[in-house]
Structures are given as C-alpha cells and as structure tokens.
Amino acid sequence: MAQIAKASKSTEKKVAYQKKVEDKGKKVVNWIFGVLILLAIAFVVYSVFIVS
C-alpha cells in the first residue's frame, strides 16, 4: 500500500513539474514572438524613413 501512495505522490510531482515547465515555455515563446513583432515594426518604421 505504501508503494502505491509513493508512486501516486511521485506522479503528482511529475505532473506538477511538467505543467510548470510548460507554462514557462509558453511564456518564453510569447516573449520571443513579441520581440520579433517589435523588431518588425521598428524595421518598417526605419524603412519608411530611409525611403523618404
């Protein structure tokens, strides 16, 4: 019985850790896309001023 409780506790920890890592990963991906969008906007503004 103790082994089942241990396995269950271990599984719960693994699931919680996976969720935490997934949330952090999503946050990093969102930051990367945000920076890329800002760089694209900056490039468009720069291009407009160079052409003018």
Side-chain angles (χ1 to χ4, degrees):
M1 195 68 162
Q3 286 180 339
I4 294 173
K6 252 187 185 177
S8 177
K9 204 177 235 186
S10 176
T11 304
E12 289 174 7
K13 284 183 180 181
K14 285 180 185 177
V15 170
Y17 178 75
Q18 286 176 343
K19 182 168 173 33
K20 189 168 97 172
V21 169
E22 183 180 347
D23 291 342
K24 284 185 179 181
K26 284 180 182 179
K27 191 180 287 188
V28 169
V29 169
N30 287 338
W31 270 100
I32 290 171
F33 278 122
V35 169
L36 287 174
I37 290 170
L38 286 175
L39 287 173
I41 291 170
F43 180 72
V44 168
V45 170
Y46 171 76
S47 298
V48 167
F49 281 118
I50 292 297
V51 171
S52 297

